[in-house]
Amino acid sequence: MGSTSEFNRRDLVKRAAALGIIAVPAMGTLSACATGGGGGDTDNGTKNKGETSAKNPLGVKKGVPMEAFIFKGGLGDQYAKDAEADYNKTYGVTVKHTGTQQVGPKLQPRFAGGNPPDVIDNSGSDHLDMNKLSSQGQLQDLTTLLDAPSLDDPKKKVRDTLYPSTLEKGKHKDAFDVLYYAFTVYGTWYSSRLLKDRGWEYPTSFDDMIKLCAEIKKANVAPWTYPGKYPYYVHFTMFAQIAKIGGLDKWIAIDNLEPKAWTSNDAVKQVVEHYEELAAKKYFLEGSQGLTHIQSQTAWTRGKAVFIPNGSWVENEAAPTTPKDFGMAVGPLFDGGSGDKMPHGTVRAEPSEPFIVAKGGENPVGGMELLRILLSKKHAQNFATKVKSLTSVQGATDGMQLSPGLSSAAGLVKKGGENLLMIQLPEWYPKLTDEKLGGLTSQLLTGDMKAAEWIKKAQQYADEFAKDDSVTKFRR
């Protein structure tokens, strides 16, 4: 949580140490996974497999060592330790646990050497390249996990407890080999107390936002801030706005690296020009271009800026500087106009925090079982309580008393209904979105680049990736 980046989470944020969730930030230099080393046992997940039973449907062999590598960013790693404790009690071992923000640097040599850990929370800025790992056959296909009975209801398969987007996002071509555990809500975050005290209302459209920004600036407060060190945070909302206004089909063309997908989409022009206008009118907190994700969040929680683009991991990550009466909240995507292809209330809410099981690990069956434990209602609720984030388990938090930010995010998902957007581009091509497009966005928000040039170069970069045979391609 988050993130994707996270990213995705990926997450930074999801990536960078944000979902750490996102490595959340710092995805600039992504770690490529080792190309050496074998793909592990050729029998799909049968290494150290024991007898199956109603209570042990995957066939975990008791006493076999198990190792977990967990990204310790904005979500921490206690939630994983709690699930490991249940695993230990059931299978008579003590899971070897490592919490780290350097997943890639520590594990690349181990994959190359053929001795990877069994289960990995592959998040943060220094994450492993899952596309390469998958193409090399080093990831365990998790279909067996999806088809296993859930811990809460043996009559219901694990796959039936998850958001459908979790099943889509975890695929590399025909293999389901990534289990995104968190369910991150990306959007424009704000303090409900601040808006109430000032008599301001969360805008419903781009036009309303521009009008409110002018009012906010007159009150000697910055309308916006963002982590300029990791400008792809702005993409959390920018990309989703393009999909909301132009329609999912046209966004999928962008995900698929299709020719002219950026330049022929009127929604791209409208959205990027909106950010150009925010920059031209100096609606960003001065100095934002030099801030990390933590620094920008701190400026925001201290009331120096009203809005910030982020993921739902932010509540947990920014907790040390958030006043008790802050009233953290997230709003839906803004309307562009009457021609929008998706309705008001549309939100980007999607799986994040990627877990993988190494096929070449000592105990891949145990790795899948740990994931099955994490996907129980007990541990989904524990995750929500400890890190203030939703999981990919549908309805797990129903009836719970939630923190302000998580309650707002959960409410947004519920109101969004079927209008939940999932953006694949940052997951499939992080070097394109976080490095190339991130560099363009950095210039856009400082006023050093116009929207037209941003769009032209975005298409150029996308075309370069599409033609690069060394880049594994994916399609929706």
Side-chain angles (χ1 to χ4, degrees):
M1 160 60 182
S3 244
T4 110
S5 137
E6 268 121 329
F7 192 226
N8 179 49
R9 18 255 209 118
R10 215 188 94 315
D11 354 280
L12 288 160
V13 185
K14 217 183 285 69
R15 290 158 163 184
L19 204 172
I21 205 191
I22 257 183
V24 226
M27 266 213 94
T29 335
L30 297 179
S31 308
C33 78
T35 56
D41 192 83
T42 55
D43 294 325
N44 192 27
T46 57
K47 189 174 182 181
N48 277 321
K49 184 180 173 88
E51 294 295 322
T52 61
S53 66
K55 291 186 177 180
N56 184 9
L58 294 176
V60 180
K61 186 180 292 187
K62 290 191 175 183
V64 176
M66 223 266 283
E67 184 179 4
F69 243 75
I70 305 299
F71 176 68
K72 192 175 181 179
L75 301 178
D77 63 347
Q78 185 58 48
Y79 72 93
K81 291 181 179 179
D82 293 342
E84 291 163 12
D86 280 359
Y87 183 96
N88 296 341
K89 292 176 186 176
T90 305
Y91 299 106
V93 298
T94 298
V95 175
K96 182 180 179 181
H97 177 99
T98 299
T100 180
Q101 290 193 16
Q102 296 181 308
V103 177
K106 291 184 176 182
L107 294 188
Q108 287 175 40
R110 293 189 57 182
F111 271 97
N115 65 328
D118 301 294
V119 64
I120 303 155
D121 172 15
N122 187 39
S123 199
S125 55
D126 288 324
H127 62 285
L128 293 158
D129 187 330
M130 295 187 296
N131 295 342
K132 286 189 177 181
L133 286 173
S134 181
S135 65
Q136 293 166 3
Q138 300 214 53
L139 300 186
Q140 173 68 39
D141 190 312
L142 302 176
T143 302
T144 302
L145 167 64
L146 295 180
D147 290 335
S150 70
L151 276 176
D152 300 305
D153 182 358
K155 296 179 181 179
K156 182 180 289 188
K157 293 180 179 180
V158 168
R159 67 167 68 247
D160 297 327
T161 69
L162 307 177
Y163 283 101
S165 54
T166 304
L167 304 179
E168 178 186 352
K169 191 167 186 177
K171 282 188 172 184
H172 281 108
K173 298 188 176 178
D174 294 331
F176 181 86
D177 52 17
V178 183
L179 187 285
Y180 287 87
Y181 184 63
F183 197 73
T184 297
V185 177
Y186 298 92
T188 298
W189 292 77
Y190 62 96
S191 163
S192 59
R193 183 208 64 192
L194 176 60
L195 263 61
K196 182 179 180 181
D197 288 350
R198 296 278 190 163
W200 297 329
E201 291 187 4
Y202 182 85
T204 59
S205 69
F206 279 157
D207 288 344
D208 291 340
M209 171 57 78
I210 293 298
K211 292 176 183 177
L212 179 58
C213 284
E215 189 175 342
I216 292 172
K217 191 173 181 180
K218 288 180 182 178
N220 294 319
V221 181
W224 285 87
T225 187
Y226 66 97
K229 291 286 187 180
Y230 315 113
Y232 63 80
Y233 265 66
V234 178
H235 299 163
F236 295 160
T237 49
M238 176 190 280
F239 291 173
Q241 282 289 169
I242 292 171
K244 191 266 185 199
I245 294 171
L248 185 57
D249 288 348
K250 287 192 175 182
W251 178 264
I252 288 176
I254 291 175
D255 274 344
N256 291 344
L257 301 180
E258 294 181 10
K260 300 182 180 179
W262 290 98
T263 53
S264 65
N265 187 342
D266 290 340
V268 173
K269 183 175 185 293
Q270 182 177 359
V271 172
V272 180
E273 286 182 347
H274 173 73
Y275 284 92
E276 179 186 341
E277 183 176 3
L278 291 175
K281 294 182 175 178
K282 301 188 183 304
Y283 288 156
F284 293 109
L285 177 68
E286 187 175 355
S288 289
Q289 65 269 27
L291 302 180
T292 65
H293 59 294
I294 297 297
Q295 291 169 333
S296 63
Q297 289 164 188
T298 300
W300 170 62
T301 56
R302 290 177 175 172
K304 294 182 180 180
V306 177
F307 301 113
I308 189 170
N310 222 309
S312 47
W313 64 83
V314 67
E315 185 174 25
N316 192 59
E317 191 171 62
T321 64
T322 303
K324 290 184 178 180
D325 61 346
F326 189 76
M328 193 173 291
V330 58
L333 294 167
F334 305 115
D335 295 339
S338 59
D340 287 10
K341 296 298 187 293
M342 300 186 74
H344 187 73
T346 296
V347 59
R348 180 183 175 188
E350 63 182 74
S352 61
E353 207 65 12
F355 277 75
I356 54 178
V357 173
K359 187 186 292 188
E362 187 67 21
N363 192 359
V365 178
M368 288 192 286
E369 178 66 4
L370 179 60
L371 294 182
R372 194 171 76 103
I373 292 171
L374 276 167
L375 292 170
S376 67
K377 193 168 185 179
K378 170 186 175 181
H379 287 285
Q381 291 187 345
N382 182 55
F383 186 77
T385 300
K386 281 197 164 63
V387 307
K388 302 179 180 66
S389 175
L390 300 173
T391 68
S392 56
V393 181
Q394 294 192 70
T397 59
D398 289 354
M400 290 181 65
Q401 184 172 352
L402 305 177
S403 58
L406 182 56
S407 177
S408 176
L412 208 58
V413 169
K414 188 173 183 178
K415 290 180 182 177
E418 296 182 355
N419 298 304
L420 303 181
L421 290 169
M422 182 172 73
I423 305 297
Q424 289 287 53
L425 197 72
E427 298 296 326
W428 289 345
Y429 312 109
K431 288 188 178 181
L432 169 62
T433 58
D434 299 352
E435 296 181 18
K436 297 293 187 178
L437 300 189
L440 300 182
T441 298
S442 179
Q443 296 178 70
L444 179 74
L445 300 188
T446 55
D448 296 323
M449 178 176 286
K450 298 297 184 182
E453 185 68 9
W454 190 102
I455 297 168
K456 177 183 177 181
K457 289 193 173 182
Q459 186 66 65
Q460 175 187 326
Y461 289 143
D463 291 343
E464 290 172 358
F465 271 71
K467 296 173 183 176
D468 187 345
D469 292 338
S470 70
V471 175
T472 302
K473 307 301 191 306
F474 303 93
R475 290 188 65 83
R476 295 178 68 175

